[in-house]
Structures are given as C-alpha cells and as structure tokens.
C-alpha cells in the first residue's frame, strides 16, 4: 500500500511539474512572445523591421488600402506607416484558437500617431490574425487585418 501511495505522489509531482513546461511551449505563449517582439520592434522606431514576423507568403490588409502581399512589401508598408509617426503600439489578444500549424487570433490594439506637425492622435481598434507555424521559424503572421474603432472625421 505504501508503494502505491508513493507512486501516486511521484506521478502527481511529475504531472504538476510538467504543466509549466507545456504552457511555455503552447501556441498561445509562443504567439504572445512574437507579439511582444512585434510591439517592441515597432515601438523602438523600426516599423519596417516588423516584416520579419510575417511568413514569406503573408498578406497584410490595412484599412483604407489595398492588400499587400509578401514579406518585402509588408516591410515596406509598415515602414510607410512608421513614417506617419506611429508609436506606443499595444496589442491585446482576446481570443486564440490553434489547430495544428494554424492559429486564429482576435484582439484589440491601441497606438499613438505623432505627426511631424499637429497634435498626437490616439487610435484603437480590433484585429484578426491568422498565424502559420513554420518548422524552422516558428509562428509567423500569415494573414493580418485590422480596423479602427475611432469614428471617421467628418468634413
């Protein structure tokens, strides 16, 4: 009987010890880590550098603009956005559902736009990203679309 109790205790400790390791390797924790790098890269002024987090065959679908295909074009699009004064980007994942090498993320964002002239504008809205896991590169943005919650200005 003592041997059975010891076995149960050892098994329980093994399971509880493995849980944090499993969480570290979960799609959610891995995608959260990429999002953290994405925000840090953008917020330090390297808007073009966020292109590295996209798959080579990714599509970026920014509001009020045509879709942008491929990592090089996406880097260029983000560089243009950076020139408009985008900073203080914050992403918040509200939902993430992963199936194998594909994950769907829904969330909210906020950022400041500091034009060369004029007042700082604050933007906030929502986004959907489809992620694709590459065997070598890990999770990469595959499809990215967002839109603002700020009402359009009226003239």
């Amino acid at each position: 009987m003592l041997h059975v109790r010891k076995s149960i205790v050892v098994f329980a400790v093994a399971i509880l010890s493995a849980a944090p390791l499993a969480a570290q390797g979960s799609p959610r924790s891995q995608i959260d880590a990429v999002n953290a790098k994405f925000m840090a890269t953008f917020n330090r002024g390297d808007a073009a550098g966020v292109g590295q987090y996209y798959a080579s065959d990714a599509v970026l679908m920014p509001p009020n603009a045509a879709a942008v295909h491929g990592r090089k074009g996406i880097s260029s699009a983000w560089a243009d956005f950076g020139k408009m004064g985008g900073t203080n980007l914050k992403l918040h994942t509200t939902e993430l559902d992963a199936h194998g090498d594909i994950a769907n993320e829904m969330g909210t964002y906020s950022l400041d736009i500091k034009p060369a002239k004029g007042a700082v504008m604050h933007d906030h809205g929502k986004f959907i990203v489809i992620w694709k896991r590459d065997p070598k590169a890990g999770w990469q943005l595959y499809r990215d679309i967002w839109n603002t919650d700020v009402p359009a200005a009226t003239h």
Side-chain angles (χ1 to χ4, degrees), residues 71-95:
R71 187 180 294 135
K72 185 176 178 182
I74 290 170
S75 290
S76 179
W78 277 107
D80 290 344
F81 184 67
K83 290 175 189 171
M84 292 175 14
T87 187
N88 298 326
L89 174 65
K90 293 181 182 128
L91 302 173
H92 175 72
T93 302
T94 57
E95 184 178 307

Side-chain angles (χ1 to χ4, degrees), residues 5 16 22 29 44 56 59 61 69 74 78 89 92 97-98 100-101 107 125 127 130 132 142 150 154-155:
R5 284 187 193 163
L16 293 174
S29 65
R44 74 170 174 260
S56 60
V59 179
M61 296 169 276
H69 297 260
I74 290 170
W78 277 107
L89 174 65
H92 175 72
D97 190 25
D101 291 337
F127 67 87
I130 300 173
K132 183 167 67 170
Y142 179 58
V150 177
T154 57
H155 296 108

Side-chain angles (χ1 to χ4, degrees), residues 25-108:
S26 71
R28 174 64 187 252
S29 65
Q30 293 170 1
I31 288 170
D32 284 348
V34 175
N35 277 335
K37 291 176 189 175
F38 187 107
M39 289 183 286
T41 301
F42 183 84
N43 290 333
R44 74 170 174 260
D46 186 9
V50 301
Q52 68 185 304
Y53 305 113
Y54 287 82
S56 60
D57 57 346
V59 179
L60 178 70
M61 296 169 276
N64 306 313
V68 181
H69 297 260
R71 187 180 294 135
K72 185 176 178 182
I74 290 170
S75 290
S76 179
W78 277 107
D80 290 344
F81 184 67
K83 290 175 189 171
M84 292 175 14
T87 187
N88 298 326
L89 174 65
K90 293 181 182 128
L91 302 173
H92 175 72
T93 302
T94 57
E95 184 178 307
L96 190 124
D97 190 25
H99 300 279
D101 291 337
I102 298 292
N104 304 303
E105 177 190 25
M106 182 171 67
T108 59

